[in-house]
Amino acid sequence: DSGVTQTPKHLITATGQRVTLRCSPRSGDLSVYWYQQSLDQGLQFLIQYYNGEERAKGNILERFSAQQFPDLHSELNLSSLELGDSALYFCASSLGLRDNAYEQYFGPGTRLTVT
Amino acid sequence: QKEVEQDPGPLSVPEGAIVSLNCTYSNSAFQYFMWYRQYSRKGPELLMYTYSSGNKEDGRFTAQVDKSSKYISLFIRDSQPSDSATYLCAMKETSGSRLTFGEGTQLTVNP
């Protein structure tokens, strides 16, 4: 158990809908990362937050947004869902930035299926 | 072209074999090199990391980085059925926090 929790485990929804994925980092970790894992793209970095502030953006679509709250949990919002958004979404956390960030702890993931 | 290339396999070996997993990369700014292991339907977990070039050993696992060739390897000695998983290489620049992953190699160790 990495100490990172994610809810829900599975999500099935229809095209055009909006969903929210939730992540609680390990105790003491200030950085939260979101990744998308699909069969054809592998594990792709989406976005990073550190202590409530956005710090880095990767290949995140404009339809997707995230935030980190004062208690450090994070939410990833996916809207106007398309079939191609079906994937595993992982949250990871690390103690800090840069030198500490190589050691990221991953949650169990949320499997999103868009029908 | 992807920044990190990794042969997706699958790779199937008998128990006790030595396994060699490899990645190549194109970004010269990468300084941290990691290997993550991912079991089916689980999140990736960090196995080993190396900073800059060189070798690192941890039990049956050895990680090697050759920055001149932009090539990293993970060796597993005396492989066990419990090593069956997908192995992902990951890399990071010194200045940033984001990890760039390879596609992952699916390994099966047969008893």
Side-chain angles (χ1 to χ4, degrees), chain B residues 53-73:
Chain B
S53 278
N55 295 357
K56 193 169 189 177
E57 193 173 315
D58 183 1
R60 296 184 295 110
F61 298 87
T62 299
Q64 288 184 352
V65 174
D66 181 350
K67 290 188 69 182
S68 62
S69 302
K70 294 191 176 69
Y71 187 87
I72 73 170
S73 301

Side-chain angles (χ1 to χ4, degrees), chain A residues 10 33 35 37 39-40 42-43 45 48 57-58 88 90 96-99 101-104 106-108 111, chain B residues 2 32 34 36 38 41-46 49 88 92-103:
Chain A
H10 303 280
Y33 311 79
Y35 292 86
Q37 187 174 42
L39 281 173
D40 57 342
L43 198 57
F45 169 75
Q48 178 205 1
K57 251 183 176 178
L88 264 171
F90 287 105
L97 300 170
R98 300 185 188 94
D99 291 340
Y102 72 87
E103 192 166 9
Q104 295 184 16
F106 282 75
R111 183 173 295 277
Chain B
K2 293 182 180 179
Y32 288 86
M34 283 72 68
Y36 279 77
Q38 185 176 20
R41 300 185 179 279
K42 302 283 188 185
E45 58 175 332
L46 179 64
Y49 91 96
L88 300 131
K92 190 184 88 62
E93 298 179 13
T94 301
S95 60
S97 301
R98 60 183 290 177
L99 301 184
T100 302
F101 283 86
E103 234 182 291

Side-chain angles (χ1 to χ4, degrees), chain B:
Chain B
Q1 187 188 359
K2 293 182 180 179
E3 277 189 295
V4 180
E5 299 277 359
Q6 183 177 10
D7 186 342
L11 185 60
S12 182
V13 302
E15 183 175 353
I18 296 174
V19 176
S20 171
L21 305 167
N22 312 292
C23 289
T24 58
Y25 63 95
S26 56
N27 184 350
S28 299
F30 287 144
Q31 291 286 347
Y32 288 86
F33 303 92
M34 283 72 68
W35 286 96
Y36 279 77
R37 177 174 61 194
Q38 185 176 20
Y39 290 113
S40 182
R41 300 185 179 279
K42 302 283 188 185
E45 58 175 332
L46 179 64
L47 259 182
M48 298 183 71
Y49 91 96
T50 308
Y51 176 73
S52 193
S53 278
N55 295 357
K56 193 169 189 177
E57 193 173 315
D58 183 1
R60 296 184 295 110
F61 298 87
T62 299
Q64 288 184 352
V65 174
D66 181 350
K67 290 188 69 182
S68 62
S69 302
K70 294 191 176 69
Y71 187 87
I72 73 170
S73 301
L74 177 71
F75 297 96
I76 307 174
R77 290 184 300 281
D78 188 24
S79 56
Q80 303 294 310
S82 58
D83 295 328
S84 298
T86 296
Y87 289 80
L88 300 131
C89 62
M91 305 182 190
K92 190 184 88 62
E93 298 179 13
T94 301
S95 60
S97 301
R98 60 183 290 177
L99 301 184
T100 302
F101 283 86
E103 234 182 291
T105 300
Q106 186 181 343
L107 171 68
T108 301
V109 181
N110 302 298

